Amino acid sequence: MATVLVVGSVALDSVETPFGKADNVLGGSGTFFSAAASLLTPVQLVGVIGSDYPVDRLEPLRARGVDLSGLERAEGSSFRWRGRYRHDLNSAETLETHLGVFSHFSPKIPEPFRAAEYVFLANIDPRLQLDVLGKMTRPKLVACDTMNFWIESRRSDLLALLGRVDIITLNDGEARQLTEEYNLVRAARWILARGPKHVVIKKGEHGAFMFTERSIFFAPAYPLESVFDPTGAGDSFAGGFMGHLARSGDLSEGGLRRAMIYGSALGSFAVEKFSIERLLEVSAADVAARVNEFRRLVAFESELS
Amino acid sequence: MATVLVVGSVALDSVETPFGKADNVLGGSGTFFSAAASLLTPVQLVGVIGSDYPVDRLEPLRARGVDLSGLERAEGSSFRWRGRYRHDLNSAETLETHLGVFSHFSPKIPEPFRAAEYVFLANIDPRLQLDVLGKMTRPKLVACDTMNFWIESRRSDLLALLGRVDIITLNDGEARQLTEEYNLVRAARWILARGPKHVVIKKGEHGAFMFTERSIFFAPAYPLESVFDPTGAGDSFAGGFMGHLARSGDLSEGGLRRAMIYGSALGSFAVEKFSIERLLEVSAADVAARVNEFRRLVAFESELS
């Protein structure tokens, strides 16, 4: 069982969905990732919070094995995001973004973190992602995420990053924007040609693909009767995915496919409540049970019985 | 190996996609269904064409085991549809519809067809679907499709039909419209409560669900590098689905799941060319090979090796 290091945002979210409202709840890619991955393996979180951040609310994460010693506390206000989802829960409408201390974020990797074997560079400036990579001793597996803003404004850095990661996770819209290919198979091939050996394209409620040079794997989304708040689903997916890889150490094609299912399972829990609430409730046994439900969801051969 | 009877439209389509144009090519739900199902089992087609229909172009279907003796030729013009797809190939824009002889269609089931054990009532007026059912001797399995127009204009007939079919196939938008439930799990439950033991909800390029009282199965769409023309994908799916059931006679949960994969395989071939062109090219061996690719697409257990 190895540790996963994640560098990402630690924010306060205010979210409105057709089912309710939450104000100033824990959010950010680093937070969701940590909450998900820590169900499977120890996590080291690198991020920054402002002087107004309710640090005590991170205590459940620490209790579950998230090392917060890389969480820098800076003078100023924390990263805040306010968004809304309409009936079609697949796309968020951003109402407000206050970057606060996050706008000057320069990740400091504590000495003991530098040996981490599994590294997830969540959605931050590709220059910072590259910078973090330069500080790591010798990671066994590096994955990154990104978003439309960086694809537009930091294209060359992002391309440089692609040459240095094993895996990229991004959503279908981002894959299309990055590659200028509408078709996802072609988009994936474009990205594969630029470095990563695995390209994970997330389609929200429509599941996720993992492309390699020679194979395509599809993991469905878990069909939930009620999706409460989609915020953080992608980062929770990444947490489940990397968490499983670090726990199992199995980087074979089969191992990566199983990691995709763990990602889907954790993503499906994340959306059942606001913030990381549901991720904090579930146990390793709940995760295992949901992974089994994925087996039943796609089984059409003898394994059905 | 049993015969499938299908009642549906036999039309002439004119289609424009980002990749090309086709004028007055074979189309209609009955045509696509027959082209797909006949790769697996004998088919009996019931429909109507106008005096202007190029009947000889149906010859390849007949040669492949589609019994056309239930295809009525009426005085007047054939059903014609003209449509366009933009870059997002998931939704067609209808430019013109001329119902022609289809507007007075009253399905006549030839005496030898009435004993068919497998019946597919493609998307036509629910009153006609009910009428056809009344003429069948004792079908073993009845499935139907429908569309937004009937959901709006023939709701009570459609509900009566639901009480008399084993399976309904419909797309996600139609399921939402029929049930007034946005969530597909809830929508499926609503429909299951009204009769069908299996509800198949098709999501186009995002795959298809099969819901029963006690289980959910998901079949991904095959990730094609180029989707050429999505017209007829849903009817080809239904053809592969029913064709496999009629051929295998296996109506167990496992059999129905495998039928979903055959449906997905036939749907994926249909979109590779205009009209039924690709369905006429492929062989039973091609279908078997693609079904095997579906296995690899979702496998994350030992069966991977």
Side-chain angles (χ1 to χ4, degrees):
Chain A
M1 190 181 293
T3 297
V4 184
L5 173 96
V6 56
V7 184
S9 61
V10 178
L12 291 170
D13 288 349
S14 295
V15 186
E16 220 174 295
T17 79
F19 315 110
K21 261 184 78 143
D23 281 319
N24 293 311
V25 292
L26 301 188
S29 57
T31 311
F32 277 104
F33 182 98
S34 299
S38 59
L39 271 157
L40 302 166
T41 211
V43 178
Q44 295 166 334
L45 171 61
V46 172
V48 64
I49 52 176
S51 35
D52 57 348
Y53 205 85
V55 191
D56 51 316
R57 279 156 64 190
L58 295 171
E59 186 49 37
L61 288 182
R62 189 199 308 271
R64 198 200 252 177
V66 181
D67 185 336
L68 299 173
S69 60
L71 187 61
E72 183 191 352
R73 189 154 187 172
E75 209 50 54
S77 54
S78 298
F79 181 8
R80 284 165 200 263
W81 176 78
R82 205 158 71 78
R84 178 163 58 191
Y85 297 86
R86 308 273 184 181
H87 223 56
D88 167 7
L89 292 163
N90 240 8
S91 61
E93 182 187 348
T94 291
L95 301 173
E96 273 179 75
T97 306
H98 292 296
L99 290 176
V101 295
F102 193 63
S103 63
H104 314 293
F105 181 39
S106 169
K108 290 164 196 64
I109 315 294
E111 201 51 50
F113 283 20
R114 298 184 180 216
E117 289 183 322
Y118 294 82
V119 177
F120 186 71
L121 307 165
N123 162 35
I124 57 172
D125 187 334
R127 292 181 185 178
L128 300 180
Q129 291 174 312
L130 282 164
D131 181 57
V132 169
L133 265 192
K135 291 175 183 159
M136 301 305 298
T137 315
R138 197 179 183 172
K140 195 168 160 189
L141 187 85
V142 178
C144 73
D145 200 337
T146 192
M147 73 182 289
N148 50 4
F149 182 74
W150 309 121
I151 294 171
E152 252 176 68
S153 61
R154 290 276 197 267
R155 191 173 178 83
S156 64
D157 301 291
L158 186 55
L159 291 178
L161 180 68
L162 286 185
R164 297 191 54 195
V165 300
D166 302 294
I167 303 176
I168 181 170
T169 69
L170 72 183
N171 71 36
D172 46 356
E174 291 156 358
R176 288 179 172 129
Q177 188 193 359
L178 172 62
T179 66
E180 292 172 359
E181 289 280 4
Y182 187 83
N183 181 280
L184 295 181
V185 182
R186 289 169 189 265
R189 187 165 303 160
W190 190 101
I191 301 171
L192 285 168
R194 277 150 186 88
K197 287 182 293 294
H198 296 84
V199 174
V200 175
I201 299 185
K202 300 169 288 179
K203 304 197 296 167
E205 62 160 328
H206 298 304
F209 279 113
M210 178 174 68
F211 296 90
T212 74
E213 195 97 320
R214 301 185 323 172
S215 70
I216 307 180
F217 175 66
F218 180 76
Y222 187 74
L224 288 165
E225 191 157 344
S226 34
V227 174
F228 194 77
D229 172 15
T231 311
D235 299 307
S236 305
F237 176 98
F241 179 78
M242 291 296 283
H244 178 73
L245 291 175
R247 180 174 67 169
S248 67
D250 180 359
L251 302 183
S252 69
E253 169 84 10
L256 280 148
R257 286 174 172 230
R258 282 182 285 280
M260 289 283 290
I261 300 296
Y262 275 86
S264 303
L266 271 301
S268 75
F269 283 125
V271 303
E272 290 182 342
K273 294 201 171 176
F274 279 124
S275 181
I276 56 169
E277 279 175 39
R278 185 73 181 127
L279 292 174
L280 291 179
E281 284 172 7
V282 298
S283 65
D286 294 325
V287 175
R290 185 149 293 180
V291 166
N292 260 322
E293 294 187 59
F294 275 94
R295 287 197 175 92
R296 281 195 289 273
L297 181 62
V298 298
F300 60 92
E301 290 306 328
S302 49
E303 74 271 23
L304 181 65
S305 51
Chain B
M1 189 183 292
T3 298
V4 185
L5 174 95
V6 57
V7 184
S9 60
V10 178
L12 290 170
D13 288 350
S14 294
V15 186
E16 220 174 296
T17 79
F19 315 110
K21 259 184 78 144
D23 280 320
N24 292 312
V25 292
L26 301 188
S29 56
T31 311
F32 278 104
F33 181 97
S34 298
S38 59
L39 271 157
L40 303 166
T41 210
V43 177
Q44 295 166 334
L45 170 61
V46 172
V48 66
I49 53 176
S51 34
D52 57 348
Y53 205 86
V55 191
D56 53 316
R57 278 156 67 190
L58 294 172
E59 185 50 37
L61 288 181
R62 190 200 307 272
R64 197 198 254 177
V66 181
D67 186 335
L68 300 173
S69 60
L71 188 60
E72 183 191 353
R73 190 152 187 172
E75 209 49 56
S77 54
S78 298
F79 181 7
R80 283 166 200 263
W81 176 78
R82 205 158 70 79
R84 177 163 58 192
Y85 298 85
R86 307 272 185 183
H87 223 57
D88 166 8
L89 292 163
N90 239 9
S91 60
E93 182 187 346
T94 291
L95 301 172
E96 274 180 75
T97 306
H98 292 296
L99 290 177
V101 296
F102 193 64
S103 63
H104 314 294
F105 181 39
S106 169
K108 289 165 195 66
I109 314 294
E111 201 53 47
F113 283 20
R114 300 187 179 213
E117 289 183 323
Y118 294 82
V119 176
F120 186 70
L121 307 165
N123 163 34
I124 56 171
D125 187 333
R127 291 181 186 177
L128 299 181
Q129 291 174 312
L130 282 165
D131 181 56
V132 169
L133 264 192
K135 289 175 184 160
M136 300 307 298
T137 315
R138 198 177 180 175
K140 197 168 158 188
L141 187 85
V142 178
C144 72
D145 201 336
T146 192
M147 73 181 289
N148 50 4
F149 183 74
W150 309 121
I151 294 171
E152 251 176 69
S153 62
R154 291 276 196 267
R155 191 173 178 83
S156 65
D157 300 290
L158 186 55
L159 291 178
L161 181 68
L162 286 185
R164 296 192 54 196
V165 300
D166 302 294
I167 303 175
I168 181 170
T169 70
L170 72 183
N171 70 35
D172 46 356
E174 292 157 356
R176 289 178 172 130
Q177 187 192 0
L178 172 61
T179 65
E180 293 172 357
E181 289 280 2
Y182 187 83
N183 181 281
L184 295 182
V185 182
R186 288 168 190 264
R189 188 165 303 160
W190 189 102
I191 301 171
L192 286 168
R194 278 150 186 88
K197 286 184 293 294
H198 298 84
V199 173
V200 175
I201 299 184
K202 299 170 288 180
K203 303 197 297 168
E205 62 160 329
H206 299 304
F209 280 114
M210 179 174 67
F211 295 91
T212 71
E213 194 96 321
R214 299 185 324 176
S215 70
I216 306 180
F217 175 67
F218 180 75
Y222 186 74
L224 288 165
E225 190 158 343
S226 35
V227 173
F228 194 78
D229 171 15
T231 311
D235 298 308
S236 304
F237 176 98
F241 179 78
M242 291 294 285
H244 178 74
L245 291 174
R247 178 173 69 168
S248 67
D250 180 359
L251 303 183
S252 69
E253 169 85 12
L256 280 147
R257 286 173 172 229
R258 282 183 286 279
M260 289 283 291
I261 299 297
Y262 275 86
S264 303
L266 271 301
S268 75
F269 283 125
V271 304
E272 289 182 344
K273 294 201 170 177
F274 279 124
S275 182
I276 57 169
E277 278 175 40
R278 185 73 182 127
L279 292 174
L280 291 180
E281 283 171 7
V282 297
S283 65
D286 295 324
V287 175
R290 185 148 294 179
V291 166
N292 259 323
E293 294 187 59
F294 275 95
R295 286 196 177 93
R296 283 195 288 274
L297 181 62
V298 298
F300 61 92
E301 290 306 329
S302 47
E303 74 270 23
L304 182 62
S305 50

